[in-house]
Amino acid sequence: MDDDFDMPAGDDLMMGDDGMGDFGGAEGPVMKVGEEKEIGKQGLKKKLLKEGEGWDTPEVGDEVEVHYTGTLLDGKKFDSSRDRDTTFKFKLGQGEVIKGWDLGIKTMKKGENAVFTIPPELAYGEAGSPPTIPANATLQFDVELLSWTSVRDICKDGGIFKKILKEGEKWENPKDPDEVLVKYEARLEDGTVVSKSEGVEFTVKDGYFCPALGKAVKTMKKTEKVLLTVKPQYGFGEMGRPAAGEEGAVPPNASLLVDLELVSWKTVTEIGDDKKILKKVLKEGEGYERPNEGSVVTVKITGKLQDGTVFLNKGHDEQEPLEFKTDEEAVIEGLDRAVLNMKKGEVALVTIPPEYAYGSTESKQDLAVIPANSTVIYEVELVSFVKDKESWDLNNAEKIEAAGAKKEEGNALFKLSKFARASKRYEKAAKFIEYDTSFSEDEKKLSKQLKITCNLNNAACKLKLKDYKQAEKLCTKVLELDSQNVKALYRRSQAYTQLADLELAEVDIKKALEIDPDNRDVKLTYKTLKEKIKEINKKDAKFYSNMFSKMTKPSAEESVSISASFTVKPQLPNFVLWEWM
């Protein structure tokens, strides 16, 4: 493929040597055919001869294709692409043409025809362009915008320019974890091919061949074809690259031209806070719905070790598929989480590290034994699922009943020290009755008590999980419903203590003690909190005392003089110590 970035020979009359000028972000004025308006504030005028198509206009960096005729104000013609029967191409806003062109043509639509009157300051100035253009000449150009090709500065530093040769499908772009399949051909500027492939697959974040490919594919759509102009910093830099096998050498500081096609890609989702569970989509699913926690799912599944050993096979070879309820520990945690991220009909390859699989213990499965600390790989097809009911699926009585059931599930999990799972149950219970404006008075009373219980129990879970901020928020919700709730004050005081906000912790625990002066746990916590504050105050007093003594310590001569008359006692700065009633 020829390099379309260079300016066609013989058109150097249009070249500007003063850069792209001040665009000022100006858009083209709304105009009618025959109307003339000024563009910007530098004297550039535009007269519309023919309206263009649609609303789009070219952007800075795009390669535009035009026909034009240039004349002086007396009508004398000095240049015309029409006379040569050759269109003119240039990159907009890159200083390849006079300023007036860069400013004017970016206001045009495809197919539009306009006459631009360009003052000398935006043309050739005092120098002119002898022998055809005099000094300080105002010029007129009859310009027709035939088309343009989008050219983007991908990294915004001039290192990679992407020219779209063929638009892609849909709107999605690959992300860092995704696996892309591309075709490419990389050449030196003299046309020498240094690398090519009719189909290579790689992970976007890992890249391939040179850094430019990984960066470029993140901006592309499926089936899109582009031409990349790659500067050395995104190629092989100062060192270049020696020839190896069928791959050609890349000289030091060499720029590259790369034809690149994004054939397809497989979406890879990183699941979990630590992103260690990987789900690679092999076949897209249907619609947008996914299972929720508590869904009953049916899957076809094959489980393998990293060496290819098959340990599980369900739903294939006339075997029954696997059916389980999510978030019930029916399967390993990694598989459970992955299925919650799938659509019906989707086929995915799920890679699960030991901590979300079988951990440090050996596990005997249907077809093989999984050694300790094994990463496991499942190919999963989500055949179907039945979602657990959401609050909007239920009437008022059913919402209260469902909230009560989830609360009891949470209680059972809490007793088993499964605090994270218990917390989810309490959260779901509270959501069922979150909006109770349509409830009867009796239903509101039941709803209020359930909200208090669920949020209190969830706060206890959060304290166990050391999520003190959430524990504080949950207790605050309870106190908004019942300001005298001792458990909420007690647990919020614990949360404030862990968040090192001892003043607020003191306020809560003292209020709890006022409400229930015989509560053993509250009294014990109050005593512990007082001791903690007393210890902190002692440390603060010592710190300020030492600091003050250093600031006021006299010299040796002063000490002799002072000691003859009186003894200097250390003084503490004026700060408030914690006082207890």
Side-chain angles (χ1 to χ4, degrees):
M1 184 178 294
D2 293 333
D3 176 18
D4 292 334
F5 279 82
D6 291 335
M7 188 154 170
D11 288 318
D12 55 354
L13 179 63
M14 297 299 303
M15 290 294 289
D17 59 3
D18 51 359
M20 60 189 284
D22 178 16
F23 282 79
E27 295 296 329
V30 177
M31 299 179 67
K32 297 178 181 179
V33 173
E35 187 177 11
E36 185 176 56
K37 287 189 177 182
E38 185 173 351
I39 299 173
K41 298 179 180 179
Q42 300 180 70
L44 174 65
K45 293 180 180 178
K46 173 183 176 181
K47 182 177 182 181
L48 185 64
L49 302 182
K50 186 182 96 172
E51 289 185 348
E53 305 169 10
W55 298 98
D56 292 337
T57 55
E59 297 180 14
V60 172
D62 289 351
E63 184 176 272
V64 299
E65 183 177 14
V66 300
H67 261 315
Y68 70 91
T69 299
T71 61
L72 302 176
L73 287 180
D74 62 8
K76 182 178 179 181
K77 185 193 304 182
F78 57 82
D79 191 19
S80 175
S81 66
R82 296 183 177 97
D83 290 349
R84 294 191 297 274
D85 197 25
T86 302
T87 60
F88 174 60
K89 296 179 180 179
F90 70 97
K91 290 202 288 286
L92 189 64
Q94 303 299 305
E96 295 183 357
V97 293
I98 57 176
K99 277 187 182 181
W101 268 52
D102 271 338
L103 291 170
I105 290 175
K106 80 185 189 81
T107 70
M108 299 180 73
K109 304 180 182 75
K110 183 179 179 181
E112 183 179 317
N113 191 187
V115 172
F116 293 99
T117 302
I118 304 176
E121 295 80 12
L122 299 178
Y124 294 95
E126 296 178 358
S129 183
T132 54
I133 299 176
N136 296 310
T138 295
L139 309 178
Q140 285 190 325
F141 286 93
D142 179 333
V143 181
E144 181 182 4
L145 179 58
L146 302 172
S147 65
W148 71 86
T149 302
S150 292
V151 179
R152 296 289 176 266
D153 182 355
I154 291 176
C155 298
K156 309 298 182 188
D157 60 2
I160 308 172
F161 281 101
K162 183 187 83 169
K163 174 181 173 183
I164 298 176
L165 305 178
K166 174 181 173 287
E167 292 287 347
E169 302 172 4
K170 299 184 179 179
W171 53 271
E172 301 99 332
N173 307 116
K175 304 294 187 295
D176 278 336
D178 295 345
E179 291 186 6
V180 295
L181 176 65
V182 305
K183 296 179 182 179
Y184 77 94
E185 179 180 279
R187 306 180 301 279
L188 301 178
E189 290 181 299
D190 65 6
T192 303
V193 176
V194 294
S195 182
K196 66 184 296 185
S197 175
E198 286 302 307
V200 63
E201 197 169 37
F202 62 90
T203 302
V204 174
K205 64 183 175 185
D206 294 338
Y208 188 80
F209 177 62
C210 70
L213 263 65
K215 293 184 180 297
V217 293
K218 289 171 68 174
T219 71
M220 296 174 67
K221 303 181 183 79
K222 185 178 178 182
T223 72
E224 184 176 320
K225 294 181 181 180
V226 303
L227 173 65
L228 303 178
T229 301
V230 182
K231 297 299 182 183
Q233 65 265 36
Y234 294 106
F236 294 92
E238 297 178 356
M239 301 299 293
R241 188 193 73 166
E246 297 182 358
E247 300 277 296
V250 178
N253 295 310
S255 293
L256 298 169
L257 301 172
V258 183
D259 289 316
L260 179 64
E261 177 184 356
L262 178 56
V263 179
S264 63
W265 77 84
K266 294 169 184 171
T267 301
V268 178
T269 305
E270 298 172 323
I271 299 170
D273 293 337
D274 57 9
K275 301 182 178 181
K276 288 187 176 181
I277 303 165
L278 302 180
K279 179 179 75 76
K280 178 167 69 175
V281 176
L282 304 180
K283 178 191 165 191
E284 290 290 341
E286 306 168 10
Y288 298 96
E289 286 281 306
R290 292 181 172 87
N292 60 357
E293 291 172 350
S295 295
V296 176
V297 300
T298 302
V299 299
K300 293 180 181 179
I301 186 167
T302 302
K304 297 181 181 180
L305 300 177
Q306 287 179 301
D307 64 6
T309 302
V310 177
F311 60 81
L312 178 68
N313 190 18
K314 297 281 188 182
H316 303 287
D317 303 325
E318 300 184 353
Q319 292 193 50
E320 288 294 315
L322 176 65
E323 183 178 282
F324 64 93
K325 191 173 184 179
T326 60
D327 198 34
E328 290 287 351
E329 296 187 331
V331 295
I332 58 172
E333 184 180 356
L335 180 58
D336 200 84
R337 289 194 186 188
V339 169
L340 291 173
N341 283 272
M342 296 180 70
K343 302 171 188 172
K344 182 181 177 182
E346 181 180 325
V347 180
L349 198 66
V350 182
T351 303
I352 305 172
E355 57 266 41
Y356 296 108
Y358 296 95
S360 58
T361 58
E362 184 179 272
S363 178
K364 186 172 182 178
Q365 299 293 302
D366 291 353
L367 304 176
V369 174
I370 298 177
N373 299 309
S374 291
T375 293
V376 293
I377 302 166
Y378 291 98
E379 184 172 314
V380 185
E381 179 183 349
L382 181 54
V383 178
S384 65
F385 61 89
V386 179
K387 295 181 76 169
D388 196 16
K389 286 188 175 181
E390 302 285 1
S391 61
W392 52 82
D393 299 318
L394 307 174
N395 61 37
N396 293 347
E398 288 172 336
K399 288 177 182 179
I400 292 171
E401 184 181 352
K406 289 297 176 187
K407 183 202 75 172
E408 292 303 323
E409 289 177 18
N411 291 349
L413 289 165
F414 189 93
K415 289 173 184 176
L416 295 171
S417 298
K418 297 180 178 181
F419 304 119
R421 292 185 62 216
S423 175
K424 287 183 181 180
R425 295 297 195 278
Y426 294 132
E427 284 172 7
K428 188 152 190 176
K431 281 183 180 178
F432 278 125
I433 50 177
E434 184 176 6
Y435 303 106
D436 58 4
T437 52
S438 64
F439 286 18
S440 68
E441 288 304 313
D442 287 342
E443 287 170 339
K444 284 182 179 179
K445 287 178 184 178
L446 290 171
S447 170
K448 179 180 177 181
Q449 190 53 50
L450 275 170
K451 286 179 184 177
I452 288 171
T453 303
C454 290
N455 285 326
L456 272 176
N457 291 357
N458 197 5
C461 291
K462 297 300 185 183
L463 288 171
K464 291 286 189 181
L465 295 167
K466 299 183 179 181
D467 188 351
Y468 304 116
K469 195 66 181 174
Q470 283 303 313
E472 177 264 318
K473 288 180 179 179
L474 287 162
C475 291
T476 299
K477 282 186 177 182
V478 173
L479 291 165
E480 287 170 356
L481 296 171
D482 178 10
S483 62
Q484 302 293 300
N485 192 290
V486 173
K487 283 186 178 179
L489 290 165
Y490 170 70
R491 287 175 187 165
R492 192 168 71 171
S493 177
Q494 289 180 308
Y496 281 141
T497 300
Q498 295 298 329
L499 293 168
D501 198 334
L502 302 187
E503 186 174 357
L504 289 176
E506 177 201 5
V507 171
D508 276 355
I509 204 66
K510 286 174 73 175
K511 185 173 180 180
L513 199 57
E514 288 171 9
I515 298 167
D516 188 0
D518 296 325
N519 189 305
R520 182 177 176 277
D521 290 335
V522 173
K523 287 195 288 186
L524 183 60
T525 299
Y526 184 32
K527 181 182 177 182
T528 304
L529 182 61
K530 283 199 296 182
E531 290 172 354
K532 183 182 282 284
I533 293 172
K534 188 176 181 181
E535 181 184 347
I536 290 172
N537 284 337
K538 281 183 180 179
K539 289 181 180 177
D540 286 348
K542 185 177 180 182
F543 170 78
Y544 285 114
S545 177
N546 290 339
M547 182 176 70
F548 184 81
S549 64
K550 287 178 181 177
M551 291 170 60
T552 59
K553 187 177 180 181
S555 65
E557 292 179 0
E558 289 172 331
S559 295
V560 172
S561 174
I562 292 169
S563 62
S565 55
F566 61 89
T567 302
V568 177
K569 295 181 180 179
Q571 298 181 35
L572 295 177
N574 185 22
F575 67 94
V576 179
L577 293 174
W578 285 89
E579 295 293 343
W580 292 90
M581 295 177 64

